[in-house]
Amino acid sequence: MGIRERLERPILSHFTFEGDVLSVEPYGDGHINETFLVRTTQRRYILQRMNEEVFPDPAALMHNIQYVTEYLRAQGQETLQIVATVNGEPYLRSSMGNFRMYVFIENTVSYNLVDNPQMFENAARAFGRFQNLLSGFDARKLVEVIPHFHDTPARLSALERAVENDVSGRARGVGAEIEFFESRKLDYTKVVDALARGDVPLRVTHNDTKLNNILMDARTGEARAIIDLDTIMPGSLLYDFGDAVRFGASTALEDERDLEKVHFSLDYFRAYTVGFVGEVANSLTPTEAELLPFSALLMAEECGMRFLTDYLDGDEYFATAYDDHNLVRAHTQMRLVEDMEAQMTEMKVLTRQIVNRYQHATTNHENDHEES
Ligand code: ADP
Ligand code: GN1
Ligand code: MG
């Protein structure tokens, strides 16, 4: 039986989309949910089977997305549009899993690799604006769908547990990788401690800002909509900045096998920092500004640990296409960590210049205003 036949009666017939189904195909490069493109005689839709292990409370998850998308739409921002079920629910619970449907956002593209600094700067502006649009959102409305999501010390503990359990018998082969992450443990507490002390403010953040979670206009290259709103939770702006940079400022795909191709690009880093800081300069605190370059390194360390942990756990969490896929991903993150460590001084100088430029611009502008 094809995908369409499998999904049409038990799943699709419960949603209030327009037209008759023409085709259903697997779609996109997400690692978490199972995504399908549905074409009907009227328009296109995205159908997703939500990952039950990762999101055990789909009702809370969908409430978060409903609140946030309504809030964004009310401010004129294009965003995900949920297609309700015939019972008026935002998702369908079924024996085949939990499914949701979105209107397909047409005439857009999402990328797994940056191919020029301008497009990365556009992505950064969009994530910066997203941060600004959510600055007034009441965080108490949100359920923390994945507690400790960016708790880097907890990610190290999870790695250590995976090594101890060694369910897949793979630990023996990755001693150097484990040591790599153990030896950097002093890094992991910096942002969580700053948040706990109140030195870095808690904000409503996206928490999964990789490039393929943003849709760019196919014609103009401008960012249109930020998607994958599953992990919107209270967090730090540093997570959003750092995660976008660790993915997009790499010269190769996240799962590139040939590490010779994997470099951290200072040009891409500059482009992202210009775009992001340009948008958030008004609300950026001094400690946030200071930690921006470090946050990219931290997110690469954290993501690398998560890939290695999943490799040891037998590939339970992230979707994989081949046997050592998670290990290949862990290796690219390690390469980026080393490259960032080597270029951290330049990253800090660049960031300081950019922050000064925008914060001075704002101050001068405010002064102009006061004088007039
Ligand atoms: P995952 O959590 O698995 O990453 P996403 O929600 O990011 O799943 O969706 C996977 C991919 O599907 C995205 O990277 C994007 O290419 C595409 N996609 C998701 N929602 C839409 C939408 N509403 N319109 C167009 N494309 C979409
Ligand atoms: C996952 O869902 P997706 O593919 O956009 C993961 C992120 C990781 C990323 C690594 C909910 O993102 O945290 O950084 O893979 N999302 C979740 O590619 O765990
Ligand atoms: Mg995604």
Side-chain angles (χ1 to χ4, degrees), residues 54-121:
V54 175
F55 304 115
D57 187 351
L61 172 69
M62 292 312 291
H63 273 124
N64 280 357
I65 294 178
Q66 265 179 319
Y67 280 135
V68 169
T69 54
E70 276 163 23
Y71 190 81
L72 291 170
R73 221 181 327 274
Q75 294 178 82
Q77 173 61 55
E78 186 170 11
T79 184
L80 289 171
Q81 170 87 52
I82 299 170
V83 178
T85 69
V86 288
N87 295 329
E89 298 294 332
Y91 76 103
L92 177 77
R93 223 177 245 280
S94 88
S95 58
M96 291 170 71
N98 301 314
F99 286 82
R100 68 180 165 206
M101 203 171 192
Y102 293 125
V103 171
F104 189 89
I105 302 177
E106 294 289 352
N107 305 315
T108 59
V109 225
S110 69
Y111 297 90
N112 286 310
L113 202 56
V114 169
D115 61 11
N116 66 80
Q118 187 58 52
M119 80 97 108
F120 201 33
E121 188 182 320

Side-chain angles (χ1 to χ4, degrees), residues 30-33 46 48 80 103-105 110 212-213 227-228:
H31 296 343
I32 302 297
N33 299 299
I46 287 285
Q48 286 185 321
L80 289 171
V103 171
F104 189 89
I105 302 177
S110 69
N212 64 19
N213 287 331
I227 58 167
D228 203 345

